[in-house]
Amino acid sequence: MKELMRLDKYLTEMGEGTRSQIKEMARKGRITVNGVTEKKSDRKISPSSDAVAVDGRIVAYAEYEYYMLHKPEGVVSATEDRRHRTVLDLITGRMRDDLFPVGRLDIDTEGLLLITNDGDLAHRLLSPKKHVDKVYYAKIEGMLPEDAKERMAAGLTLSDETETLPADLELVRRGGCGELSEIRLTIHEGKFHQVKRMFETLGCHVVYLKRLSMGTLTLDETLKPGEYRPLTREELELLNKTDQEQE
Ligand code: URA
């Protein structure tokens, strides 16, 4: 954690207001540091050892936050949106106001989404060079070709000529004529609408899509769609470790 930082930066990062609002709050005597009223919002404090309070309410400091969200359908993977609820609207217990989703799931896709403000981790997980595995479960309409597994494994050319890396297709249940098939697909990249477009190339249509894992992080199935929880220490350590190993 940072050794010393400005009081106004601390409170701004924790979502207590803009710098000028914090300045005004301090001027009015609403802010205390270790129980003593502090009128100078630009003074330095120690986030790890000083107790900062606004109107008598302690404001704890978190440099980074990490949440696992079971994204439900109907919300967008963005930090703000004029028409739809965003995944951040679901993280009601967050402390920081600079969180963002690591990557995007389509509005109708469910499943694992990591929400954090750790830009370095996000960058490493999303970097096309890292080929971080993503596992999806899908329900597919239309007859899956007999050679679907081999074609996915060879890599496909999508309708716009984009080439995909080899992917691993596992058939969970092959549906007969007019029925849905269920599959698990592991991809090593994250192109726009990638899973849906890969199946379109095979002449099939994805009617339900859920992300099960990303790298070492696996969706906690006790989370219902719309629910979230902080990452455990083990999950975070593992995520940081594998992410570095793949460099
Ligand atoms: N592939 C898709 O087509 N959609 C998603 O949301 C994620 C992967």
Side-chain angles (χ1 to χ4, degrees), residues 104-106 109 136 187 191 193-197 209:
R104 281 168 191 269
L105 293 177
D106 298 336
T109 301
Y136 290 88
I187 59 175
K191 299 186 194 304
H193 296 326
Q194 179 157 350
V195 176
K196 292 174 185 165
R197 290 163 72 209
L209 186 60

Side-chain angles (χ1 to χ4, degrees), residues 180-192:
L180 299 179
S181 296
E182 293 172 53
I183 61 91
R184 250 191 300 273
L185 184 70
T186 305
I187 59 175
H188 312 285
E189 55 195 335
K191 299 186 194 304
F192 186 59

